[in-house]
Amino acid sequence: MSVSIVALGTEREAASGGAGQPGLVRSYLRGSGLVAELGSPAPSRLRARILGGVRLEVHECPRWDIFDSDWYTSRSLIGGADIIVIKYSVNDKTSFQEIKDSYVPMIKKALNHCSIPVIISAIGARKNLPCTCPLCTSDRGSCVTTSEGLQLAKEFGATYLELHTLNDFYIQKYFGGVLEYFMIQSLNQKSSEKMKKRKKNQKRHRVQPPQLEQPEKLPILKGEASHYDSDLHNLLFCCQCTDVAFYSEDFSKVMEAHKVILCSVSQVFMLLFNVKSPADVHDSSVVRTAQSLFAVDTGAGLSVPRGAAEPRPPARVIVKDSVFCSCLLDILHFIYSGACQWERLEEDIKKKLKDSEKTEHVLEKVKCILKTPGKLNNLRDGSSHQIKQLYNTSLRLFFNTPVLADVIFTIQGATVPAHRAVLVARCEVMAAMFNGNYLEANSILVPVYGVSKDTFLSFLEYLYTDSCCPASILQAMSLLICAEMYQVMRLQHICELYIITQLQSMPSRELATTSLSIVSLLKKAKFHNSDCLSTWLLHFIATNYLIFSQKPEFQDLSVEERNFVEMHRWPSNMYLKQLAEYRNYIHSQKCHCAVM
């Protein structure tokens, strides 16, 4: 390694000429005990060996005209320096001012923000001290003051030294101590950079460990949007499983409907169909509304006996209010569509009646019918109020209860009551079963095979509420099988998403020790036409290959499935082979493995 020092300026006064004792740096090198060899290949250059063999090169430039004549050479000289020494005589104010104004900016430009140490040496004893009298100006500009030298060093970011004479103390101890400090700092920095470069080259030529690629992204399973409201709304048009018929006062039929749907949104209909008694209703306005609007034909039954061989005819309900009766179809559309499109109901009734008073009268009746404690706020807010009634909350009241039930499922020795209207609206298979040429169409008791009672109850709960919460992956798979049996595709997708979410959240340690058979889930998913889940499970097994390949169930995969897993396995065979070769190389080199 080497250290380059550039010494600029002179320590002599301009009037004293060039004769006399040697310069500052040259005097230091001749008297220093660190210098082993000293040579001078040119008058302005010195070469020496210090600190046990480190090469030292000194470029002395006593004249500043190098910056005026050759900017490229001076810039290269400054740029290649490790330490810069600027010298001036304290008794030569003119030269100092020229250095400060003309040459220091050039040096700054040549350095270009490099962190090279600079030593500014003010040499000599001041001969003519400036007078402090404000009226005397004769000797004020004859020498350079300490404050001026410090200001220059501050602007430069340099170390400032004052050498009153070039004796052994000032040269070796004072100036030499600072210079040696910067030389050691320069050598440490170069040694550090050299070590970094060597490590970088060693790393470049060293055999690198294999790169583990990222596993394939698992297929994304998208959920299906709910069609709960549309299912119930379509029930009104298909007129299947109706058990109530509305008539006008002249006994002409207006519309058929379903008790369970009407009772799920209104206590008025609960009173009408004996689901509740007047004593159960704490709001007297509900009782008055039921009595003033409707009357049940006593000649028709209100409920369906469990043991009946055939369904009873629909209950006959007389609508006493003729204006309300004329808008009954629009009101039933509003109720069956979720009872949440209040503005549309207002518009439809306004177009039909074309009378503001009659419109307001009908809307007030509808508000009284739909008044439900805990569900709605004040119902007398005018047309700006929007009524909201959630079927999936209201129909839950009739789930697994005999109230208004017209079908009873027998399963594993137990009975489960249900309502044909809900089943027909929500499940196409049951709609065909109850309305086709099947025994179930005219039977109250319907046996169920192939599923457990708990699974079937979860299935019915979804039909009534449009939601399901499986307790485990196995229960979700059982519910998926039931959903596939009755062709309820959205429930099937919900179960698939639940299974995927649970498996993705399972830590690797739990996955390795669980008794749950993923291969068995794969077989069931394929058998029951759950293509999305089966594809995802295959990718899941391939992604966790090192875990599943150690399990006995891995042998139950078919040849086609095994080939798929081997093709998409992570980590790949190629990576494991490269890793084994790298480990062998590391052990042969007797060095630490960066991977294993």
Side-chain angles (χ1 to χ4, degrees):
M1 285 188 291
S2 64
V3 178
S4 176
I5 300 175
V6 175
L8 302 173
T10 178
E11 51 278 284
R12 301 180 183 89
E13 301 175 33
S16 65
Q21 62 183 11
L24 176 62
V25 179
R26 191 179 292 265
S27 299
Y28 161 74
L29 293 176
R30 287 180 177 177
S32 175
L34 299 176
V35 179
E37 299 177 12
L38 181 63
S40 180
S44 62
R45 295 179 64 185
L46 288 173
R47 286 182 180 174
R49 289 194 175 274
I50 61 172
L51 300 174
V54 177
R55 289 187 294 110
L56 177 66
E57 292 191 4
V58 180
H59 298 265
E60 289 189 320
C61 302
R63 298 173 61 86
W64 293 90
D65 54 0
I66 185 175
F67 289 95
D68 299 326
S69 60
D70 192 349
W71 164 246
Y72 178 79
T73 303
S74 60
R75 185 180 63 178
S76 300
L77 184 65
I78 297 297
D82 296 315
I83 302 171
I84 296 176
V85 179
I86 298 177
K87 304 174 291 181
Y88 67 87
S89 172
V90 296
N91 294 306
D92 194 349
K93 184 78 175 274
T94 305
S95 298
F96 173 81
Q97 200 65 40
E98 186 179 6
I99 292 172
K100 180 180 178 182
D101 296 339
S102 301
Y103 300 117
V104 167
M106 291 184 182
I107 296 174
K108 286 183 178 180
K109 183 178 179 182
L111 288 176
N112 193 22
H113 304 291
C114 295
S115 57
I116 297 176
V118 178
I119 302 174
I120 295 180
S121 302
I123 301 171
R126 294 176 178 83
K127 299 177 180 178
N128 299 314
L129 294 175
C131 180
T132 57
C133 176
L135 301 178
C136 181
T137 59
S138 59
D139 296 325
R140 181 155 302 182
S142 60
C143 62
V144 183
T145 62
T146 301
S147 60
E148 289 176 320
L150 287 172
Q151 182 63 31
L152 176 62
K154 184 177 180 181
E155 293 176 1
F156 216 113
T159 301
Y160 177 74
L161 302 177
E162 277 197 0
L163 310 178
H164 298 300
T165 181
L166 296 181
N167 59 19
D168 183 65
F169 172 78
Y170 280 107
I171 293 176
Q172 298 299 330
K173 303 296 183 181
Y174 194 23
F175 172 76
V178 175
L179 185 63
E180 289 169 10
Y181 170 78
F182 284 129
M183 285 193 294
I184 293 172
Q185 289 292 99
S186 176
L187 289 173
N188 289 338
Q189 183 178 357
K190 287 187 175 183
S191 177
S192 176
E193 291 176 355
K194 187 176 181 180
M195 185 63 67
K196 289 181 181 178
K197 187 175 181 181
R198 182 183 299 171
K199 288 182 178 179
K200 186 175 181 180
N201 290 334
Q202 288 177 351
K203 187 176 180 181
R204 185 182 305 166
H205 296 294
R206 185 186 301 169
V207 176
Q208 298 297 317
Q211 297 296 319
L212 180 60
E213 71 281 3
Q214 292 296 321
E216 291 187 15
K217 290 186 177 181
L218 296 175
I220 298 176
L221 191 62
K222 296 182 179 179
E224 183 181 342
S226 173
H227 38 78
Y228 186 82
D229 290 341
S230 61
D231 286 345
L232 295 179
H233 187 253
N234 293 335
L235 181 64
L236 184 64
F237 292 100
C238 70
C239 296
Q240 294 179 351
C241 302
T242 55
D243 54 3
V244 59
F246 290 96
Y247 290 83
S248 62
E249 290 183 301
D250 59 358
F251 296 101
S252 60
K253 184 186 287 188
V254 179
M255 193 70 186
E256 291 185 345
H258 308 83
K259 293 179 182 178
V260 66
I261 304 297
L262 298 176
C263 290
S264 69
V265 297
S266 174
Q267 293 191 84
V268 171
F269 292 113
M270 288 184 179
L271 284 172
L272 199 62
F273 301 126
N274 295 335
V275 175
K276 284 187 176 183
S277 65
D280 298 328
V281 179
H282 303 290
D283 191 344
S284 59
S285 64
V286 174
V287 179
R288 290 195 301 269
T289 301
Q291 294 173 349
S292 62
L293 273 181
F294 305 106
V296 179
D297 188 355
T298 56
L302 301 180
S303 61
V304 180
R306 290 189 183 182
E310 295 183 0
R312 297 284 297 273
R316 293 162 57 94
V317 177
I318 309 300
V319 182
K320 298 180 180 180
D321 192 319
S322 59
V323 178
F324 183 87
C325 185
S326 65
C327 301
L328 183 62
L329 180 59
D330 296 313
I331 296 170
L332 289 178
H333 278 303
F334 169 71
I335 292 174
Y336 273 73
S337 62
C340 60
Q341 300 178 2
W342 181 255
E343 288 80 3
R344 182 175 178 181
L345 176 65
E346 285 183 314
E347 293 177 3
D348 292 342
I349 293 178
K350 285 178 182 178
K351 289 180 181 179
K352 178 168 290 188
L353 298 179
K354 298 179 181 179
D355 187 313
S356 59
E357 291 185 3
K358 291 182 179 180
T359 300
E360 187 65 26
H361 168 75
V362 172
L363 292 176
E364 285 299 321
K365 294 295 183 182
V366 174
K367 290 178 182 179
C368 291
I369 290 174
L370 298 179
K371 183 187 293 186
T372 306
K375 296 288 183 183
L376 303 173
N377 298 323
N378 184 10
L379 294 178
R380 303 191 180 274
D381 296 337
S383 60
S384 62
H385 179 76
Q386 183 178 11
I387 295 179
K388 293 183 179 179
Q389 182 72 33
L390 300 177
Y391 273 131
N392 56 2
T393 301
S394 304
L395 281 177
R396 186 183 292 274
L397 299 174
F398 298 93
F399 166 65
N400 197 23
T401 62
V403 178
L404 298 178
D406 53 4
V407 63
I408 298 175
F409 293 101
T410 59
I411 178 170
Q412 293 183 335
T415 58
V416 179
H419 306 81
R420 293 174 186 259
V422 178
L423 304 179
V424 167
R426 299 281 287 139
C427 178
E428 293 182 0
V429 172
M430 289 193 174
M433 182 173 67
F434 289 127
N435 292 285
N437 296 321
Y438 299 98
L439 292 176
E440 293 83 358
N442 298 315
S443 176
I444 299 298
L445 297 175
V446 177
V448 177
Y449 305 102
V451 295
S452 66
K453 177 187 175 183
D454 291 338
T455 300
F456 191 71
L457 281 173
S458 297
F459 172 73
L460 290 181
E461 183 180 12
Y462 169 78
L463 297 184
Y464 277 76
T465 66
D466 201 42
S467 64
C468 72
C469 299
S472 64
I473 293 178
L474 292 178
Q475 185 178 354
M477 178 55 73
S478 299
L479 189 56
L480 183 149
I481 294 172
C482 184
E484 190 269 337
M485 182 189 305
Y486 289 100
Q487 293 297 295
V488 182
M489 303 308 297
R490 183 170 180 270
L491 177 58
Q492 190 172 348
H493 290 157
I494 291 175
C495 295
E496 290 173 344
L497 283 173
Y498 176 85
I499 294 172
I500 289 173
T501 303
Q502 292 299 310
L503 289 177
Q504 280 183 325
S505 63
M506 192 176 294
S508 298
R509 182 176 297 179
E510 183 180 352
L511 196 62
T513 57
T514 182
S515 60
L516 178 69
S517 174
I518 306 301
V519 175
S520 176
L521 292 179
L522 172 64
K523 299 293 184 183
K524 290 180 180 179
K526 278 194 170 185
F527 184 79
H528 293 282
N529 304 311
S530 181
D531 297 332
C532 295
L533 180 59
S534 60
T535 302
W536 188 91
L537 288 173
L538 273 176
H539 279 277
F540 184 69
I541 294 173
T543 303
N544 297 275
Y545 182 86
L546 296 180
I547 294 177
F548 289 108
S549 61
Q550 305 300 318
K551 292 192 172 188
E553 63 181 282
F554 189 76
Q555 306 302 322
D556 297 335
L557 292 172
S558 65
V559 175
E560 181 183 357
E561 293 165 348
R562 184 81 63 85
N563 292 337
F564 179 91
V565 170
E566 292 291 344
M567 182 181 299
H568 297 85
R569 59 175 288 179
W570 185 86
S572 64
N573 260 328
M574 179 63 69
Y575 171 79
L576 295 179
K577 183 179 179 181
Q578 292 174 350
L579 181 60
E581 293 176 354
Y582 177 74
R583 293 181 66 185
N584 291 334
Y585 165 78
I586 292 297
H587 289 307
S588 67
Q589 299 295 317
K590 296 182 179 180
C591 56
H592 180 68
C593 177
V595 176
M596 302 299 294

